[in-house]
Amino acid sequence: MAKNYRPISVLPCLSKIFERIIQGQLLTYIEKHLSPFLCGYRKGFSAQFSLVSLIENWKKMLDKNGFAGAVLMDLSKAFDSINHDLLLAKLSAYGLGKDALKLVRNYLSDRWQKTKINACFSSWTNLTKGVPQGSVLGPLLFNIYINDLFFLLDDSVCNFADDITSFVCDEKLEVVLLKLENNVETAINWFANNHMKMNPDKCHLLVAGHRWEMVWANISDVKIWEKNKVKLLGVTIDNELKFDDHLYELCRKAENKLSVLTRIFKFLSFEKRRLLVKGFLNLSSNIAHWYGCFAAEK
């Protein structure tokens, strides 16, 4: 669909050298101001780090016969929605000097793009918002732009880039739902004040720890019913933390790859066959290891 396409900036190599220098200097200064819940485009803060933090907090609460809940939120066109003036104001609030702010403004301003479809070109359009996707400096500026959101949310957040998941653990289910509603309302207000928009089709509720009727949360006067399973950062998580569906999908993909290997083996040399089989066996052993870990926890 046309709405799913994003402009990617094709930048010259020389500009990326300067971007890398600016990124190193800016990151050295700003790192101490970034939230520990802000993951994505940061060394040591991967999607795995974010997921493990969520799952381990849930396990601890479930071991106490408590409850855990999460609301998955996804920003729509997040990189393209960044307001330049507001970004510069935030950089100023973090302590950047006038010369540094002028450099960032110059980096963001006077960028033009057009679209080509077959042999037809659109007219040139000036980019008045957003950061250049495909650039070196863009992800860091995006992190700085959304950083203050995580200081407003209670408890913990599972985040990676524009995927923001607020989760709450408590011994009472009503407290979990109430805190989740408050956190999401806070996030929605922040989105509105910072020129961003949440994708309502990707807003989901997951609750673990109860075994009776379905529950819901009121988000902006809309009733969001809980789901039995959701896909978060590439991992299918169910409300019992069993990961059966995720493991089944991994095994299915491994089976498909094995089927492809059997069809092309006769066209490959012995050395290439050995490498492919070795790689496949390593993948299979990892799947078996994780399946054994999850089975033991059950």
Side-chain angles (χ1 to χ4, degrees), residues 84-94 101:
H84 292 173
D85 291 334
L86 185 54
L87 172 61
L88 291 169
K90 292 186 179 188
L91 289 171
S92 177
Y94 287 127
L101 294 175

Side-chain angles (χ1 to χ4, degrees), residues 78-111:
F79 276 72
D80 301 329
S81 302
I82 293 178
N83 182 278
H84 292 173
D85 291 334
L86 185 54
L87 172 61
L88 291 169
K90 292 186 179 188
L91 289 171
S92 177
Y94 287 127
L96 266 69
K98 292 183 178 180
D99 291 337
L101 294 175
K102 287 181 180 178
L103 179 62
V104 176
R105 179 180 289 278
N106 182 268
Y107 170 78
L108 295 172
S109 61
D110 200 25
R111 290 187 178 274

